[in-house]
């Protein structure tokens, strides 16, 4: 695995790979890698000739400076994890390399950015779009791999690619969970033991909610989720919304056509966790 911290040598190396006819797969990350990221890397390796991983904690997508300051940075262990998987290139740029000048672009994702994360993390998706579009124009991947855990991010990135007509195929990848059901996240490392112990309640409740959806209305299921999770003194639901999987518009009834996804954000102490579950496929 070759490590690059600057754009130009990486681009030269990738140009040579492209000229050989190799298909380039890209996994953008913010580091603090876990099994979830590694499953994206493996998926990229199974579909592409060359795998590029980036590790860049993107300041423009943090709406909370403490969150940015506390975000785990673990380059050495990330490199050692990646070395056990097929990753040919690791891109680890500085903020100045990615943003030689401030990025003032404002993207418009319509409803996709107004609900859920968009409502509670203003500016977050604009920052994601800024960095992903920059990374795409640096790496010029054929395919890019994103986890379904960040469900709304995935919808935003698909729309970004459509709007900018970028020649990259977005490949959604399944959520990877701990044995107790907690969705893997770099933020799990920051949980205090007591919060880590009760965090599996999130996915347990989502599974119960899915069962309940056979017999209860959308509103009743939403109330159930809020009550169950908030009953644990250590967890606090920020939002739970049941939305259409492409428009992200909240659904009012199970009878509406389309796939419905329950998306949740929960504070476990100071740490914010997100998760989601597909309710039904019509
Ligand atoms: O999902 C993430 O880790 C980040 O939002 C991404 C896509 C790497 C952009 O910084």
């Amino acid at each position: 695995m070759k490590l690059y911290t600057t754009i130009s040598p990486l681009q030269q190396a990738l140009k040579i790979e492209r000229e050989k006819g190799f298909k380039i797969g890209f996994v953008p990350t913010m580091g603090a890698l876990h099994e979830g990221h590694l499953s994206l890397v493996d998926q990229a390796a199974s579909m592409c000739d060359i795998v590029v991983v980036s590790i860049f904690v993107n300041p423009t997508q943090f709406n909370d400076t403490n969150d940015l300051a506390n975000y785990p940075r673990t380059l050495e262990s990330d490199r050692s994890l990646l070395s056990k998987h097929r990753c040919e290139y690791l891109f680890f740029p500085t903020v100045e390399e990615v943003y030689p000048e401030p990025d003032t672009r404002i993207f418009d994702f319509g409803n996709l950015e107004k609900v859920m994360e968009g409502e509670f993390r203003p500016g977050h998706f604009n920052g994601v779009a800024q960095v992903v579009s920059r990374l795409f124009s640096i790496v010029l991947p054929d395919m890019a791999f994103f986890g379904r855990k960040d469900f709304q991010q995935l919808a935003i990135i698909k729309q970004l690619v459509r709007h900018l007509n970028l020649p990259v195929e977005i490949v959604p990848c399944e959520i990877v969970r701990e044995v107790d059901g907690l969705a893997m996240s770099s933020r799990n490392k920051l949980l205090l033991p007591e919060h880590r112990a009760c965090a599996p309640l999130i996915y347990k409740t989502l599974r119960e909610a899915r069962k309940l959806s056979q017999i209860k209305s959308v509103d009743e299921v939403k109330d159930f989720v809020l009550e169950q999770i908030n009953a644990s003194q250590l967890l606090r639901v920020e939002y739970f919304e049941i939305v259409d999987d492409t428009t992200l518009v909240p659904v009012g009834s199970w009878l509406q056509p389309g796939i419905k996804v329950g998306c949740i954000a929960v504070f476990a102490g100071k740490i914010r966790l997100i998760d989601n579950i597909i309710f039904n496929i019509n």
Side-chain angles (χ1 to χ4, degrees), residues 12-74:
Q12 280 164 29
L14 292 177
K15 184 166 177 274
I16 295 169
E17 303 290 10
R18 224 171 280 117
E19 282 165 1
K20 288 184 199 152
F22 288 158
K23 190 187 257 194
I24 295 175
F26 179 40
V27 182
T29 80
M30 299 207 297
L33 302 183
H34 50 68
E35 287 301 319
H37 297 110
L38 298 171
S39 76
L40 303 181
V41 174
D42 290 346
Q43 179 92 29
S46 74
M47 298 175 80
C48 299
D49 306 299
I50 297 292
V51 177
V52 183
V53 173
S54 64
I55 294 182
F56 178 63
V57 182
N58 171 37
T60 72
Q61 71 187 76
F62 284 81
N63 54 319
D64 173 345
T65 45
N66 279 335
D67 193 20
L68 173 61
N70 294 331
Y71 202 84
R73 289 161 172 89
T74 57

Side-chain angles (χ1 to χ4, degrees), residues 54-266:
S54 64
I55 294 182
F56 178 63
V57 182
N58 171 37
T60 72
Q61 71 187 76
F62 284 81
N63 54 319
D64 173 345
T65 45
N66 279 335
D67 193 20
L68 173 61
N70 294 331
Y71 202 84
R73 289 161 172 89
T74 57
L75 179 64
E76 280 323 307
S77 85
D78 290 349
R79 280 176 83 169
S80 125
L81 285 171
L82 284 173
S83 69
K84 298 183 190 89
H85 294 254
R86 233 204 71 217
C87 165
E88 280 76 22
Y89 295 93
L90 173 58
F91 183 44
F92 180 67
T94 59
V95 173
E96 294 70 34
E97 187 69 11
V98 176
Y99 297 108
E101 286 147 32
D103 193 333
T104 53
R105 288 175 299 163
I106 306 284
F107 295 84
D108 180 3
F109 295 108
N111 182 63
L112 295 188
E113 66 181 344
K114 292 196 178 69
V115 290
M116 304 189 293
E117 294 295 287
E119 190 182 340
F120 289 95
R121 300 184 71 191
H124 168 66
F125 288 124
N126 202 62
V128 169
Q130 288 175 341
V131 77
V132 169
S133 59
R134 275 168 185 260
L135 291 170
F136 281 180
S137 63
I138 294 167
V139 175
L140 299 175
D142 297 287
M143 294 178 147
F145 297 79
F146 293 88
R148 285 192 201 271
K149 185 177 81 78
D150 296 297
F151 188 76
Q152 195 170 0
Q153 169 171 282
L154 185 59
I156 296 264
I157 288 169
K158 283 186 194 159
Q159 180 148 323
L160 175 79
V161 164
R162 272 198 309 274
H163 280 182
L164 300 180
N165 287 309
L166 301 177
V168 49
E169 184 184 333
I170 301 302
V171 183
C173 302
E174 286 317 314
I175 300 177
V176 180
R177 297 182 180 280
E178 304 284 356
V179 276
D180 58 16
L182 177 63
M184 292 213 182
S185 163
S186 305
R187 290 192 166 84
N188 294 353
K189 287 193 174 82
L190 303 173
L191 291 168
L192 296 175
E194 61 270 32
H195 293 128
R196 174 65 189 83
C198 59
L201 180 64
I202 301 168
Y203 185 53
K204 180 170 178 280
T205 305
L206 292 182
R207 285 204 322 273
E208 286 169 8
R210 181 164 59 188
K211 274 196 208 135
L212 217 56
S213 68
Q214 310 291 324
I215 48 167
K216 300 277 184 189
S217 70
V218 169
D219 283 344
E220 284 167 332
V221 169
K222 279 162 75 170
D223 289 345
F224 166 80
V225 168
L226 296 187
E227 278 162 24
Q228 285 291 112
I229 297 182
N230 287 335
S232 146
Q233 299 301 307
L234 295 172
L235 301 177
R236 186 175 56 77
V237 178
E238 186 174 54
Y239 67 76
F240 173 64
E241 207 47 91
I242 299 173
V243 298
D244 176 273
D245 83 322
T246 40
T247 62
L248 304 189
V249 172
V251 300
S253 153
W254 300 120
L255 298 175
Q256 274 177 236
I259 299 173
K260 296 159 193 75
V261 185
C263 299
I264 194 162
V266 175

